[in-house]
Amino acid sequence: MADSIKYIVRFVLIILVQVLVLKRIDLSYQNFNYIHIFIYPLFLLLLPFNFSKFLYLLVGFILGISVDIFYNSLGVHAFATVLVAFVRPQVLRFIEPREGYSKDTEPSINRLGFSWVLIYTSILLFIHHFVYFSMEVFSPQYPVEIILRTIFSFIVSLIIIMLIHFIFRPRS
Amino acid sequence: MRNLLLFLARYGHLLLFLFLEFICFSLIVQFNDSQNETWINSVNLYTGRVQSRADRVNEYLRLQQVNDSLLLENSALLSQIIDFKVAFKDNAYQAFESKDTLIHTIIPSRVCAKTIHLRNNFFTLCKGENHGIEKGMGVITSNGLIGVVKSVQENYSDVILLLHSQSRISVAIKDKDYFGNLVWQSNNKKRMKMEAVPKYANLNIGDTIVTSGYSNIFPGGLLVGKVTSFAPESGGNNYEIQVELFNDIETAEYVYVIDIYNKKERELLFSNQKGSG
């Protein structure tokens, strides 16, 4: 119960930050318009590992749609988040530490270490960004566009997400 | 049932994933203008080709239907043409058209069976009494004569072809007042002989042969063939004219049965009724 309230608050906060703050940040410079910061996947990444697969997909969908509503791009973010939600179990298995995960672990620097969180976040965030920009450009005719946007946005988003990890790490 | 549940437990999240992505994709292409445009364009690009192939197959499957409808259309046009010719006195040999329009009923039909290599050849049409075909009606294709209906069953009818030893068709030379009978005496399926044209006639090679209209079988002015050679009959008063047919009877698949005989009869009955009543 306490957990679900925590998640809901987190959900709302993260979306508010995304759509009220980050959406307005314009990092374009002349022709260079490749940076769009997306930190809201962090909500998905922070959910505990033993979260039900079904629910996880649905949460991903709801998260994406919520962001989409504010971005006026119905379905684009949701497509990316649902995909992230789907691949997370595989990614987790792939980067599983030798001692395994404790049962209801949330990924945090304190428990799993900085480099693990970095790798975990990078993989999923990159997938998210790549899928998002692919769906946004929505044409295989502009692969350079997709890749440039993905890479620059990914770097900036990743930095911010890692900062958030540091700032809000649970005291232990 | 248990298997189904097991299946859902194992692959349910995959199905849900696909389902959600499908929803997202539909949302994307439905509510985002640029994506929508791209989607429609590319869908057209890729499906267009598939579509056209499928259409071609479909067309092929519908060929019979298309044929039939074309046949009906052709018959309508043909009757209009004949009526038009009658109305404008285009044919000089109108024996019996008292009125300006002579409405022909033209019954299109497929050829069900044919003999072509004998001395006396027949077509069997896939239509008969039930479709309005009667004994004595003329049978043509769009570019020439075929023969005359000899006998009718309920759903089939037999046609004596031009290529029959007993076939006699009254024909004329177009724009000249000579007429005669068209008979088949050779073994060549495109060559006929025209008889009973007097020796004093002024003929040219290449003259067009049309139906004369002096019979109740064919309306006048239907194209039949052209003169390839002519020579005086030995010991007679007439020319022996070789005619090459315009149409190829051998390859005819679809024919038109002209209802003119019937029409005349009905007209006669009608006027009798009027007179008595």
Side-chain angles (χ1 to χ4, degrees):
Chain A
M1 193 61 204
D3 270 357
S4 43
I5 290 172
K6 186 176 83 183
Y7 293 142
I8 289 169
V9 171
R10 197 192 277 164
F11 182 90
V12 174
L13 274 180
I14 255 179
I15 285 186
L16 287 181
V17 169
Q18 178 66 50
V19 301
L20 296 183
V21 182
L22 296 178
K23 191 191 166 194
R24 300 179 188 201
I25 294 178
D26 182 7
L27 289 177
S28 60
Y29 174 70
Q30 291 177 356
N31 282 337
F32 185 84
N33 182 20
Y34 295 125
I35 299 179
H36 305 270
I37 307 169
F38 298 119
I39 61 145
Y40 67 92
L42 180 60
F43 177 78
L44 275 185
L45 303 191
L46 284 180
L47 287 177
F49 296 149
N50 61 348
F51 214 75
S52 142
K53 279 180 183 174
F54 289 89
L55 208 54
Y56 197 61
L57 284 169
L58 286 173
V59 168
F61 181 71
I62 293 166
L63 177 71
I65 285 291
S66 312
V67 176
D68 274 326
I69 288 169
F70 290 99
Y71 271 78
N72 262 329
S73 59
L74 213 56
V76 185
H77 289 278
F79 194 94
T81 50
V82 169
L83 191 81
V84 166
F86 181 70
V87 298
R88 188 177 85 148
Q90 273 79 2
V91 173
L92 281 178
R93 210 175 305 142
F94 183 65
I95 58 172
E96 187 169 1
R98 196 163 299 159
E99 59 273 23
Y101 304 108
S102 59
K103 217 172 176 203
D104 56 348
T105 322
E106 292 183 24
S108 73
I109 293 178
N110 283 358
R111 290 195 191 173
L112 290 154
F114 175 78
S115 57
W116 187 91
V117 172
L118 183 66
I119 291 168
Y120 167 72
T121 311
S122 312
I123 294 173
L124 290 175
L125 197 65
F126 189 84
I127 292 172
H128 171 272
H129 276 47
F130 181 71
V131 172
Y132 169 75
F133 286 114
S134 305
M135 294 317 283
E136 194 205 24
V137 175
F138 207 69
S139 165
Q141 283 180 323
Y142 309 104
V144 178
E145 185 93 342
I146 294 173
I147 287 167
L148 285 180
R149 282 182 186 216
T150 304
I151 289 172
F152 286 108
S153 302
F154 166 71
I155 291 169
V156 177
S157 300
L158 182 66
I159 290 170
I160 294 178
I161 287 180
M162 291 315 287
L163 281 176
I164 294 173
H165 265 296
F166 266 109
I167 294 166
F168 294 101
R169 63 181 151 173
R171 275 164 222 98
S172 52
Chain B
M1 195 61 206
R2 193 167 152 274
N3 283 338
L4 182 69
L5 286 178
L6 273 177
F7 177 82
L8 279 181
R10 186 168 296 173
Y11 296 109
H13 72 290
L14 180 64
L15 293 178
L16 181 66
F17 163 70
L18 292 176
F19 174 68
L20 288 177
E21 290 292 47
F22 174 75
I23 289 180
C24 291
F25 197 83
S26 330
L27 288 174
I28 291 172
V29 294
Q30 197 144 11
F31 291 103
N32 299 277
D33 289 340
S34 69
Q35 277 96 334
N36 185 340
E37 209 169 292
T38 316
W39 172 246
I40 288 173
N41 286 343
S42 40
V43 164
N44 286 350
L45 192 71
Y46 293 114
T47 58
R49 221 172 294 155
V50 177
Q51 203 86 340
S52 71
R53 293 237 174 105
D55 276 358
R56 222 180 292 162
V57 173
N58 209 15
E59 260 169 38
Y60 184 76
L61 294 177
R62 287 189 333 115
L63 223 51
Q64 187 59 50
Q65 230 172 318
V66 172
N67 263 345
D68 290 349
S69 73
L70 282 178
L71 210 57
L72 282 172
E73 205 176 308
N74 273 348
S75 66
L77 288 174
L78 208 57
S79 74
Q80 270 179 23
I81 288 172
I82 292 172
D83 273 350
F84 185 77
K85 280 186 176 171
V86 169
F88 284 83
K89 304 288 178 202
D90 194 23
N91 53 347
Y93 307 100
Q94 297 174 56
F96 44 77
E97 285 91 347
S98 51
K99 287 194 280 180
D100 270 355
T101 52
L102 173 69
I103 299 166
H104 302 267
T105 311
I106 292 191
I107 305 159
S109 173
R110 210 157 65 79
V111 178
C112 271
K114 46 173 122 176
T115 63
I116 203 83
H117 303 291
L118 307 177
R119 182 74 189 99
N120 298 326
N121 296 305
F122 294 93
F123 271 7
T124 303
L125 305 186
C126 307
K127 285 188 177 174
E129 216 165 5
N130 289 350
H131 308 92
I133 295 180
E134 284 172 22
K135 192 183 167 188
M137 287 181 180
V139 181
I140 62 172
T141 63
S142 49
N143 47 6
L145 304 188
I146 294 289
V148 180
V149 176
K150 176 198 147 219
S151 66
V152 189
Q153 275 101 49
E154 273 184 13
N155 287 311
Y156 297 95
S157 44
D158 275 342
V159 177
I160 297 184
L161 299 188
L162 297 189
L163 311 179
H164 187 289
S165 60
Q166 296 304 310
S167 149
R168 295 258 182 293
I169 307 284
S170 174
V171 292
I173 293 163
K174 199 183 181 191
D175 298 330
K176 291 169 187 169
D177 281 339
Y178 310 114
F179 61 94
N181 285 328
L182 199 65
V183 297
W184 189 53
Q185 289 184 344
S186 68
N187 282 321
N188 190 325
K189 292 171 194 72
K190 288 212 68 158
R191 268 174 207 281
M192 305 281 291
K193 208 171 88 179
M194 184 173 169
E195 286 175 337
V197 176
K199 255 196 253 181
Y200 54 81
N202 175 23
L203 294 179
N204 290 314
I205 287 176
D207 276 353
T208 308
I209 308 288
V210 297
T211 51
S212 67
Y214 286 156
S215 72
N216 277 343
I217 297 171
F218 295 106
L222 297 179
L223 295 179
V224 176
K226 63 174 188 233
V227 175
T228 52
S229 69
F230 56 90
E233 219 171 56
S234 55
N237 251 342
N238 294 336
Y239 271 133
E240 211 179 75
I241 304 173
Q242 298 296 327
V243 177
E244 192 189 330
L245 295 178
F246 285 134
N247 65 334
D248 194 351
I249 296 177
E250 203 170 356
T251 59
E253 284 289 334
Y254 293 94
V255 298
Y256 305 102
V257 183
I258 305 186
D259 185 358
I260 181 173
Y261 185 67
N262 195 26
K263 162 85 179 154
K264 289 272 109 182
E265 239 177 21
R266 224 179 285 152
E267 229 169 44
L268 198 68
L269 280 173
F270 189 61
S271 62
N272 281 350
Q273 274 175 350
K274 242 187 183 172
S276 65

